[in-house]
Amino acid sequence: LTLGGYSDWFLPSKDELNKMYWHIGQGSQLGNIGGFANVDYWTSSEEGFNNAWCQSFNYGYQFGNNKNNFSVSVRAVRAF
């Protein structure tokens, strides 16, 4: 992804996305300062051959999901 003049975007791991939920997302005491939608987001962490981890920004939990599920959103990030 190249966006805003930057080409170092990546899909966060399950641990990174979980930290975002708790620190800048809906789970934060500061509120949703990251502007996340109340949806499930893919992470770059795999859970076996056919599944990858997702992070719910509606409820805060993580779960394995089939990689063929096209209803899950993505949120590319840059190092922080």
Side-chain angles (χ1 to χ4, degrees):
L1 172 67
T2 299
L3 182 65
Y6 299 99
S7 61
D8 58 347
W9 298 89
F10 64 95
L11 197 61
S13 71
K14 69 181 269 225
D15 293 337
E16 291 167 326
L17 202 53
N18 193 46
K19 285 181 183 178
M20 284 186 258
Y21 174 81
W22 289 108
H23 294 282
I24 63 172
Q26 285 81 330
S28 172
Q29 292 179 344
L30 302 174
N32 184 15
I33 61 175
F36 291 90
N38 286 329
V39 298
D40 301 331
Y41 290 100
W42 285 115
T43 75
S44 63
S45 303
E46 291 186 314
E47 185 195 36
F49 182 75
N50 293 320
N51 295 329
W53 285 96
C54 294
Q55 172 77 45
S56 170
F57 269 72
N58 195 21
Y59 302 106
Y61 60 83
Q62 295 183 320
F63 59 96
N65 203 343
N66 188 286
K67 294 177 185 178
N68 290 326
N69 184 341
F70 298 112
S71 66
V72 179
S73 299
V74 294
R75 177 82 179 238
V77 299
R78 294 181 64 228
F80 59 93

